[in-house]
């Protein structure tokens, strides 16, 4: 699909990254794909021209994707960029080199920091002492490997990426398959959109609106002296009210330093969801409305208690 006939979708490029693979599996040719060079750029690419994006949120082995939570801290999150869905992808990594290069020749391994983390056992056992270099994506690593080694100023390098990614570049060879530490290695992605209720292209199946992502921090006007983290204001709000505010326990909680320039002041990201909502067509609408009202009430309750809560997404 081209830019004139379909909406754009931003992803972490170049093509061949896991983000790209995951987006293509879900959206096929219902969108045109806008490659970005960093996760924060993917987030900020969401606009009238590119109304959708896919960003990695968490990996089952290595945990939260820091750049994604850093983007979710920004003022655009919950104002002009919203989480509108989730996707999961089974992630099987390969060790990839220029054709003909042997394992013992490799002096450096390049990949996205998540992929390096997900393969740390393999790297310690098979490439001990070899430099691990973070690059913006697994596909950027695959492409960079071609410019390393003999005849260049760069040490002989390997990349960690998918087998599909390796097949997209001429001159690459897979040295090892399945090098991830856990066989079940899976990454969860968020689908981003320009509004809380934007219909998603590519499938008649729309998100059920059973889950929400809420960011909770301190009101900026509560600027104050440094307090030890255990008693900071947002920590108190979290522990005293938040766990019950939405009428159901959070499904997950993540935390990043706030942008308030107060040491150890944090923002929390709560995924809440009522997975018990009935699914019959007749009841769906009422339940969704009641659930959205509960979310709104919860947010207002937190704000009244001195916090600053924003709904970042519903799906
Ligand atoms: O580098 C890529 O291929 C990405 O799409 C990024 C990313 C991530 O940030 O977690 C996505 C899936 C894998 O967990 C490894 C890397």
């Amino acid at each position: 699909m081209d830019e004139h006939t379909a909406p754009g979708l931003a992803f972490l490029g170049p093509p061949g990254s896991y983000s790209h693979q995951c987006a293509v599996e879900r959206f096929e040719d219902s969108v045109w794909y806008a490659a970005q060079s960093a996760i924060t750029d993917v987030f900020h690419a969401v606009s009238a021209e590119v109304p959708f994006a896919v960003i990695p949120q968490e990996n089952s082995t290595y945990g939260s994707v820091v750049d994604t939570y850093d983007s979710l801290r920004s003022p655009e999150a919950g104002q002009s960029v919203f989480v509108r869905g989730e996707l999961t992808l089974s992630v099987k990594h390969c060790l990839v080199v220029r054709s003909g290069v042997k394992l013992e020749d490799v002096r450096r391994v390049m990949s996205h920091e998540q992929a390096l983390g997900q393969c740390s056992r393999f790297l310690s056992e098979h490439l001990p002492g070899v430099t691990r270099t973070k690059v913006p994506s697994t596909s950027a690593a695959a492409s960079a490997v071609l410019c390393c080694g003999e005849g260049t100023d760069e040490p002989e390098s390997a990349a960690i990426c998918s087998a599909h990614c390796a097949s997209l570049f001429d001159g690459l060879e897979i040295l090892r398959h399945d090098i991830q530490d856990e066989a079940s290695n899976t990454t969860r992605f968020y689908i981003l959109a320009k509004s809380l209720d934007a219909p998603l292209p590519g499938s008649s199946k729309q998100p059920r609106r059973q889950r929400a992502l809420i960011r909770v921090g301190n009101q900026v006007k509560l600027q104050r002296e440094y307090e030890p983290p255990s008693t900071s204001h947002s920590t108190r709000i979290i522990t005293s009210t938040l766990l019950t505010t939405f009428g159901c326990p959070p499904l997950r909680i993540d935390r990043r330093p706030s942008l308030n320039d107060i040491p150890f002041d944090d923002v929390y990201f709560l995924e809440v969801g009522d997975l018990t909502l009935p699914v019959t067509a007749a009841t769906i609408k009422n339940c969704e409305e009641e659930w959205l009202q509960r979310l709104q009430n919860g947010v207002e309750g937190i704000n009244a208690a001195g916090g600053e809560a924003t709904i970042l997404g519903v799906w």
Side-chain angles (χ1 to χ4, degrees), residues 12 17-19 39 56 59 65 91 112 114-115 118 137-138 187 189:
L12 177 63
S17 66
Y18 291 100
S19 300
I39 289 174
N59 173 264
V65 179
V91 172
H112 187 277
Q114 273 278 345
Q118 292 160 28
S137 69
T138 57
T187 299
F189 295 80

Side-chain angles (χ1 to χ4, degrees), residues 11-14 16-21 39 54-60 62-68 89 91 93 111-116 118 135-140 160-162 165 185-189:
F11 70 97
L12 177 63
S17 66
Y18 291 100
S19 300
H20 187 226
Q21 185 183 335
I39 289 174
V54 165
I55 49 170
Q57 174 259 331
E58 184 190 16
N59 173 264
S60 58
Y62 198 63
S64 304
V65 179
V66 170
D67 286 342
T68 290
L89 183 75
V91 172
H93 291 300
S111 201
H112 187 277
E113 74 168 314
Q114 273 278 345
L116 291 167
Q118 292 160 28
V135 294
S137 69
T138 57
S139 47
I160 297 175
C161 63
S162 69
C165 178
N185 193 40
T186 303
T187 299
R188 183 171 181 248
F189 295 80

